[in-house]
Every structure is written in structure tokens, then in C-alpha cells.
Amino acid sequence: PTVARDFSFMIQSVGMTAASFSIFIMGVHIDWSALVYATLGGIVGIILGLEYIAPAMDPVTKKLAFVSVWFAFAFSLFLLNRNHDRPTFRNVPTYKCNNNNNNEDE
């Protein structure tokens, strides 16, 4: 239904805006070069997905694919975050696009 779709968009918009404010207020470090490339890849993915992939799939397959991808993402984050002694980095260490190699948290 239209109301459910609009409500889910509203919830996501409010949540993402709250997360953005939290990141800004808390002063969380952002690797801007990684964010730019992820945004460009996301734009291409949205266009290809909406124009070519989504029309070729039935609704049940779309839901199953969505849930499978997010479950895999959540499970990999769960496994990664179980190790509290893992090294963390301020920037992506293997990024070669710029000369900024400030890995201060190694």
C-alpha cells in the first residue's frame, strides 16, 4: 500500500538525518575519498537496479534478495565486531588515489 511505502520512506529519512547529525556532533572522522567513491558507485547501482534488474524480478525474489544481502551484511559486521582487539584505521590503508596516508590509529 501507498501509506506503508510512504511511512517506511519517512522512517528511513528521519533515521538517516538523525545519524548524520550524530556523526557531525560527535566529530566522527570520515574518510571523504572513500565516501565519494561509494556515493558514485551507489548512484550507478541505483540507476542500473531500477532500470534493468528490478523490472526483471518478481516481488518475492526482490524481497528475498534484499533480506539476504542485509542478513549477510549484518552477520559479517557481527563477526567483525566480536574481535575488540582488531586494528582500526583512520583512512582506508590501501587507498592509492591521494597522497594522504595518515593512518594514525595503527
Side-chain angles (χ1 to χ4, degrees), residues 5-83:
R5 183 201 64 208
D6 293 347
F7 185 70
S8 79
F9 283 145
M10 189 226 23
I11 288 175
Q12 184 174 3
S13 298
V14 169
M16 296 299 271
T17 303
S20 298
F21 280 126
S22 297
I23 288 170
F24 178 71
I25 290 170
M26 292 174 63
V28 175
H29 179 79
I30 299 170
D31 189 353
W32 289 103
S33 55
L35 185 64
V36 167
Y37 284 108
T39 301
L40 294 174
I43 291 169
V44 171
I46 288 288
I47 292 170
L48 292 176
L50 291 176
E51 289 293 322
Y52 300 107
I53 297 172
M57 297 170 71
D58 62 299
V60 173
T61 307
K62 290 179 199 177
K63 290 177 186 176
L64 185 60
F66 178 81
V67 169
S68 298
V69 167
W70 283 108
F71 176 76
F73 178 69
F75 190 69
S76 61
L77 275 179
F78 169 74
L79 290 177
L80 181 68
N81 288 328
R82 286 178 55 200
N83 181 7

Side-chain angles (χ1 to χ4, degrees), residues 61-106:
T61 307
K62 290 179 199 177
K63 290 177 186 176
L64 185 60
F66 178 81
V67 169
S68 298
V69 167
W70 283 108
F71 176 76
F73 178 69
F75 190 69
S76 61
L77 275 179
F78 169 74
L79 290 177
L80 181 68
N81 288 328
R82 286 178 55 200
N83 181 7
H84 298 291
D85 297 329
R86 66 182 167 82
T88 58
F89 304 94
R90 274 219 174 282
N91 298 78
V92 179
T94 56
Y95 233 55
K96 302 291 183 196
C97 294
N98 59 16
N99 294 328
N100 186 8
N101 292 326
N102 298 354
N103 294 330
E104 299 169 8
D105 291 347
E106 289 187 66

